[in-house]
């Protein structure tokens, strides 16, 4: 049976039962005002306490009311206007904020580690406990300190354990932030390479031939799809993958569709078997999503897929030009209900091409870069999942 007086995971050397106290016994509200010379702050759930000028949107406020704004100091906690979603933020800035915010701090700073409380206030269990005081509170209204004060909270009395927990999550956040920045950098680098390589400002050594303008239909087959009759069960749940546009997302290669059709279903519809390395291209109601087939498959009519001709077009080379394909589809597409680009229109798309060897070199470069981006994104996702798991196990 789970002991609800202690967390499931603790640092070595700490064994005491966690205490349970009301919030008003641990914290005090702060309502200091009249500091109009201080910068105006905003409280966000994505970035915490920030300078209002850095929010990125034009927030109107009457400067004549600044004398009524509450002072927020470093290490103060602020309850944002979406507090029932977990909007308790720890400030690292000095400034003033709207009187609608609730500001509070520990009664005794020598007994409480603010980093511990910063992460405690982000746990699922704490956010769920807010429902006991936010019942009926509408979006845009902050929890008052008196409401928050009645919450019963468990915490370790030993401040060293609090500090250990807070430091652990701070370091974890630093690693997550570093990996997030690395992901952003890799994505920016990719966009820069896409621009420089496809406008030929950067070329790989050993290639100097002039690129030629061709039509896409001269170097690839453009193939649409189809849907078997849904009323005939003999057409469905077969061995042939059958994709819809909704299945095409961030992944590069696809090999397993949500629905499958039988050979009879394929024969009785306009769906065609597409070979491996076909570049799927969504052609309606969200033009321009792409993926590369890793297994022979078919699609519904929401695609105009690109099947490269051997020694004329490299799959990853054309996949890497997704932005151009999407732009062309959106510009040339037509329709009254939704925009759609036809296979004939896609075949007419003008495109600058190097010889096949240079295409393969370029395609291989972007494939490696995409793999690196994917691996780093997977690592970032794993770190965030690990943080959530630790938050659940190290707090109660």
């Amino acid at each position: 049976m789970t002991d609800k007086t202690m967390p499931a995971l603790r640092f070595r050397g700490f064994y005491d039962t966690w205490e349970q106290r009301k919030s008003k016994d641990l914290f005090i509200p702060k309502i200091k005002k009249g500091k109009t010379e201080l910068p105006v702050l905003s409280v966000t759930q994505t970035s915490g306490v920030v300078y209002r000028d850095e929010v990125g949107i034009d927030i109107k406020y009457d400067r004549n009311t600044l004398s009524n704004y509450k002072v927020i100091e470093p290490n103060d906690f602020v309850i944002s206007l979406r507090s029932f979603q977990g909007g308790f933020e720890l400030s690292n800035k000095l400034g003033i904020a709207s009187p609608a915010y609730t500001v509070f701090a520990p009664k005794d700073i020598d007994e409480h580690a603010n980093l511990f409380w910063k992460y405690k206030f982000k746990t699922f269990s704490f956010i769920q406990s807010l429902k006991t005081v936010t019942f009926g509170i509408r979006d845009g209204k902050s929890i008052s300190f008196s409401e928050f004060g009645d919450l019963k909270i468990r915490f370790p009395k030993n401040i060293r354990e609090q500090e250990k927990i807070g430091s652990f999550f701070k370091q974890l956040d630093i690693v997550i932030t570093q990996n997030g920045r690395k992901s952003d950098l890799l994505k920016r680098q990719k966009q820069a390479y896409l621009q420089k390589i496809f406008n030929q400002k950067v070329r790989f050594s050993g290639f100097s031939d002039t690129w030629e303008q061709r039509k896409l239909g001269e170097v690839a087959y453009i193939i649409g799809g189809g849907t078997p009759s849904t009323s005939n069960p003999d057409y469905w749940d077969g061995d042939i993958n059958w994709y819809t546009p909704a299945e095409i997302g961030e992944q590069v290669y696809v090999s397993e569709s949500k629905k499958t059709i039988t050979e009879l279903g394929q024969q009785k519809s306009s769906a065609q078997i597409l070979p491996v390395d076909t570049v799927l291209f969504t052609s309606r109601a969200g033009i321009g999503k792409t993926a590369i087939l890793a297994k022979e498959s078919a699609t519904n009519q929401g695609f105009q897929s690109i099947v490269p001709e051997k020694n004329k077009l490299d799959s990853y080379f054309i996949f890497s030009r997704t932005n151009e394909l999407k732009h062309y589809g959106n510009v040339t597409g037509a329709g009254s209900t939704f925009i759609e680009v036809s296979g004939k229109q896609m075949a007419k798309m003008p495109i600058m091409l190097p010889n096949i060897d240079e295409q393969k070199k370029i395609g291989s470069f972007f494939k490696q870069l995409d793999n690196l981006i994917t691996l780093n994104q997977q690592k970032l996702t794993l770190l965030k999942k690990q943080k959530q798991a630790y938050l659940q196990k190290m707090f109660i």
Side-chain angles (χ1 to χ4, degrees):
M1 186 174 180
T2 302
D3 184 353
K4 294 185 178 181
T5 64
M6 292 189 291
L9 186 63
R10 302 181 79 174
F11 287 103
R12 185 177 299 173
F14 299 103
Y15 310 103
D16 295 340
T17 298
W18 282 25
E19 291 192 9
Q20 185 177 56
R21 305 277 296 278
K22 282 191 175 183
S23 299
K24 62 186 177 184
D25 296 330
L26 307 174
F27 303 98
I28 54 173
K30 298 183 68 175
I31 52 173
K32 185 178 180 181
K33 300 179 181 179
K35 297 291 184 178
T36 58
E37 73 278 7
L38 294 177
V40 178
L41 303 174
S42 289
V43 185
T44 70
Q45 285 187 253
T46 54
S47 303
V49 179
V50 298
Y51 293 112
R52 182 171 288 184
D53 292 342
E54 297 176 356
V55 171
I57 56 177
D58 185 19
I59 301 176
K60 303 296 184 184
Y61 60 94
D62 185 354
R63 299 198 66 85
N64 294 323
T65 66
L66 293 184
S67 60
N68 198 40
Y69 273 37
K70 293 180 180 178
V71 174
I72 297 176
E73 297 176 303
N75 292 317
D76 283 346
F77 288 97
V78 188
I79 305 179
S80 77
L81 302 184
R82 290 181 179 271
S83 47
F84 45 85
Q85 296 175 1
F88 281 55
E89 307 299 334
L90 176 63
S91 175
N92 62 354
K93 295 177 175 61
L94 173 63
I96 54 176
S98 166
Y101 292 118
T102 298
V103 184
F104 66 92
K107 278 186 176 182
D108 190 339
I109 59 174
D110 294 327
E111 293 185 4
H112 297 282
N114 276 350
L115 278 178
F116 167 83
W117 291 106
K118 171 184 177 178
Y119 294 105
K120 167 72 175 181
F121 292 148
K122 295 297 182 182
T123 61
F124 177 77
S125 59
F126 176 78
I127 295 171
Q128 288 296 103
S129 73
L130 292 174
K131 292 180 179 179
T132 63
V133 296
T134 58
F135 179 77
I137 291 183
R138 60 180 173 80
D139 189 2
K141 182 182 182 302
S142 183
I143 299 174
S144 68
F145 183 80
S146 61
E147 291 165 329
F148 164 63
D150 285 330
L151 277 179
K152 292 182 179 180
I153 306 178
R154 285 199 179 274
F155 67 102
K157 181 67 174 177
N158 190 329
I159 192 171
R160 289 181 298 166
E161 185 173 7
Q162 293 181 30
E163 291 170 343
K164 276 270 193 181
I165 295 171
S167 178
F168 172 79
F169 281 102
K170 180 181 179 180
Q171 292 302 315
L172 187 54
D173 272 349
I174 289 173
V175 175
I176 289 173
T177 298
Q178 289 173 340
N179 277 271
R181 288 173 179 167
K182 184 178 179 181
S183 285
D184 292 340
L185 176 61
L186 286 169
K187 291 174 183 177
R188 290 197 299 271
Q189 287 178 333
K190 179 184 175 180
Q191 291 306 311
Y193 280 126
L194 285 170
Q195 184 175 0
K196 291 179 180 180
I197 288 177
F198 290 127
N199 65 16
Q200 302 170 61
K201 287 185 178 180
V202 172
R203 298 186 73 178
F204 291 100
S205 61
F207 298 101
S208 57
D209 293 345
T210 302
W211 287 29
E212 297 182 358
Q213 181 170 296
R214 305 290 297 275
K215 292 180 180 179
L216 185 59
E218 294 174 343
V219 292
Y221 303 101
I222 311 300
I223 299 177
T227 302
S229 172
T230 56
S231 63
N232 192 330
D234 292 336
Y235 296 166
W236 296 92
D237 299 323
D239 298 324
I240 301 172
N241 279 323
W242 181 82
Y243 289 96
T244 65
E247 296 178 71
I248 309 304
E250 296 295 324
Q251 76 277 36
V252 175
Y253 288 95
V254 292
S255 58
E256 296 295 333
S257 60
K258 293 181 179 179
K259 292 185 178 181
T260 59
I261 59 175
T262 62
E263 184 176 348
L264 180 62
Q266 183 263 319
Q267 293 173 351
K268 294 294 183 178
S269 70
S270 56
Q272 297 190 47
I273 301 296
L274 303 169
V276 171
D277 287 336
T278 293
V279 178
L280 303 182
F281 179 82
T282 60
S283 57
R284 61 165 66 171
I287 290 175
K289 294 188 292 183
T290 56
I292 301 176
L293 282 184
K295 180 181 179 181
E296 285 189 349
S297 305
T299 72
N300 76 357
Q301 58 272 26
F303 293 84
Q304 295 297 341
S305 298
I306 303 165
V307 182
E309 286 197 48
K310 188 176 181 181
N311 295 325
K312 290 186 179 181
L313 184 66
D314 178 73
S315 290
Y316 219 98
F317 175 86
I318 193 64
F319 170 80
S320 298
R321 304 184 77 161
T322 292
N323 289 339
E324 294 175 59
L325 294 168
K326 181 177 181 178
H327 176 73
Y328 178 82
N330 281 319
V331 169
T332 59
S336 56
T337 305
F338 51 79
I339 297 177
E340 180 177 10
V341 60
S342 69
K344 289 183 178 180
Q345 288 171 315
M346 288 302 299
K348 294 177 182 179
M349 176 182 172
I351 186 168
M352 296 298 296
L353 295 174
N355 64 48
I356 189 64
D357 291 331
E358 188 171 0
Q359 287 185 43
K360 290 180 178 179
K361 187 76 172 180
I362 293 170
S364 177
F365 171 79
F366 281 111
K367 183 177 182 179
Q368 292 179 35
L369 187 53
D370 283 341
N371 286 341
L372 187 59
I373 291 172
T374 298
L375 287 172
N376 197 79
Q377 189 60 47
Q378 289 173 343
K379 181 179 179 181
L380 181 60
T381 300
L382 178 60
L383 283 168
K384 290 179 178 179
K385 288 182 178 179
Q386 287 177 333
K387 178 184 175 181
Q388 292 305 312
Y390 281 127
L391 283 171
Q392 185 175 349
K393 292 180 178 180
M394 296 178 70
F395 290 92
I396 50 176

